[in-house]
């Protein structure tokens, strides 16, 4: 059996892949097998720890995100003081982010990714990974907000105003500051008008005019205020 260091270099060489004229191929299974042999034969070496992490990366690069996520989680659990733990948490979030469906479908993967990012930002706020994590955190929250927006718009179109208003209130309370506030407020006002809650609707339209004057909804809100007696 070659030394652990030699096996590791062999695995890295395999995972670099082979370049052809128009494409590149990588034998991930063979590379992972080589790394696993380090863990099996040199379990207490520092190289074995590196091999664990590189296996996770290999699965990630091969788009086998469930397997990658399992290895990233195991690494963080087995080596909680290792300097690469923030990296594994970010990568765990990215595994789930790669499995996210469009905004109008189930958002379990999005919420799971955010849980990993919450942990990263809470425990390792000054790590290099936290900076990338903050950007992804905002993007994923925007994705969830867009999901709620689509559901609310569906209920509004169906004239189910109470259900639509509930979603718009949730959007404003849980996902403020993502650029969707003016639209959500305006549509919430429309719901209240339809529900004969005209005083609340007028306050909302006034808020849009005062606080979102540069948005496309400010003029529409002002028109609603002018027409308020006719919609009572």
């Amino acid at each position: 059996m070659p030394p652990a260091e030699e096996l590791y270099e062999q695995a890295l060489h395999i995972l670099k892949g082979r370049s052809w004229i128009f494409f590149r191929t990588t034998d991930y299974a063979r590379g992972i097998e080589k790394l696993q042999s380090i863990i099996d034969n040199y379990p207490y070496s520092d190289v074995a720890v590196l091999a664990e992490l590189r296996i996770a990366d290999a699965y990630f690069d091969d788009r086998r995100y469930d397997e990658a996520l399992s290895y990233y989680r195991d690494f963080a659990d087995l080596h909680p003081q290792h300097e690469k733990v923030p990296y594994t948490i970010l990568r765990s979030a990215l595994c789930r982010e790669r499995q996210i469906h469009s905004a109008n479908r189930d958002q379990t993967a999005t919420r799971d990714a955010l849980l990993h990012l919450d942990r990263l930002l809470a425990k390792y706020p000054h790590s290099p990974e936290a900076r990338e994590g903050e950007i992804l955190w905002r993007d994923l929250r925007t994705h969830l907000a867009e999901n709620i927006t689509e559901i609310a718009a569906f209920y509004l179109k169906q004239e189910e105003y109470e259900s639509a208003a509930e979603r718009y209130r949730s959007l404003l309370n849980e996902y403020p500051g993502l650029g969707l506030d003016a639209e959500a407020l305006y549509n919430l006002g429309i719901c209240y008008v339809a529900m004969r809650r005209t005083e609340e609707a007028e306050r909302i339209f006034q808020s849009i005019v005062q606080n979102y004057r540069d948005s496309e909804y400010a003029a529409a809100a002002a028109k609603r205020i002018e027409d308020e007696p006719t919609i009572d």
Side-chain angles (χ1 to χ4, degrees):
M1 176 65 63
E5 292 78 7
E6 184 177 334
L7 288 171
Y8 188 73
E9 290 302 318
Q10 291 174 5
L12 294 185
H13 179 72
I14 293 168
L15 292 172
K16 282 183 179 179
R18 299 178 63 186
S19 295
W20 303 90
I21 296 176
F22 297 111
F23 60 92
R24 186 179 188 87
T25 62
T26 302
D27 190 347
Y28 290 105
R30 184 162 164 255
I32 290 170
E33 181 181 2
K34 189 76 68 173
L35 292 166
Q36 187 62 51
S37 70
I38 299 172
I39 298 170
D40 293 341
N41 292 282
Y42 304 97
Y44 304 111
S45 69
D46 292 338
V47 180
V49 177
L50 296 177
E52 293 172 16
L53 188 58
R54 192 64 191 92
I55 288 175
D57 288 340
Y59 277 127
F60 186 90
D61 293 341
D62 197 24
R63 301 182 182 180
R64 296 174 62 180
Y65 299 119
D66 286 335
E67 291 91 338
L69 178 60
S70 178
Y71 271 87
Y72 286 130
R73 284 174 169 170
D74 287 348
F75 187 95
D77 290 341
L78 291 170
H79 314 287
Q81 305 304 317
H82 198 280
E83 64 179 1
K84 283 293 187 178
V85 168
Y87 171 83
T88 65
I89 299 174
L90 176 61
R91 276 292 177 120
S92 295
L94 288 170
C95 286
R96 296 302 279 146
E97 186 265 344
R98 296 295 194 275
Q99 297 172 316
I100 291 172
H101 300 297
S102 60
N104 61 351
R105 297 179 62 184
D106 179 74
Q107 299 301 310
T108 300
T110 311
R111 294 186 176 88
D112 286 349
L114 282 168
L115 289 175
H116 289 295
L117 293 173
D118 286 340
R119 180 186 175 197
L120 172 65
L121 297 176
K123 294 193 68 175
Y124 306 97
H126 305 298
S127 65
E129 290 79 9
R131 290 191 287 274
E132 181 179 347
E134 287 176 355
I135 297 171
L136 181 59
W137 183 85
R138 182 180 176 87
D139 289 344
L140 294 182
R141 282 179 58 80
T142 301
H143 186 82
L144 283 181
E146 289 170 348
N147 175 246
I148 296 175
T149 299
E150 290 193 9
I151 296 171
F154 169 80
Y155 282 123
L156 183 59
K157 185 176 181 180
Q158 298 298 313
E159 299 183 356
E160 297 183 30
Y161 299 113
E162 185 59 61
S163 295
E166 180 183 346
R167 270 66 182 187
Y168 287 124
R169 287 193 296 266
S170 172
L171 184 65
L172 290 163
N173 291 331
E174 297 179 30
Y175 303 98
L178 297 176
L180 302 172
D181 295 14
E183 178 184 1
L185 277 169
Y186 182 78
N187 286 325
L188 179 60
I190 296 298
C191 292
Y192 283 166
V193 169
M195 296 160 64
R196 301 295 180 180
R197 296 167 61 173
T198 52
E199 290 185 4
E200 293 171 271
E202 183 174 358
R203 285 197 295 270
I204 287 174
F205 294 138
Q206 291 281 6
S207 175
I208 295 171
V209 172
Q210 293 170 9
N211 299 308
Y212 301 94
R213 63 187 64 187
D214 295 329
S215 77
E216 62 182 290
Y217 297 96
K223 180 77 164 53
R224 285 279 178 175
I225 295 169
E226 292 174 4
D227 295 344
E228 191 275 335
T230 66
I231 62 176
D232 189 6

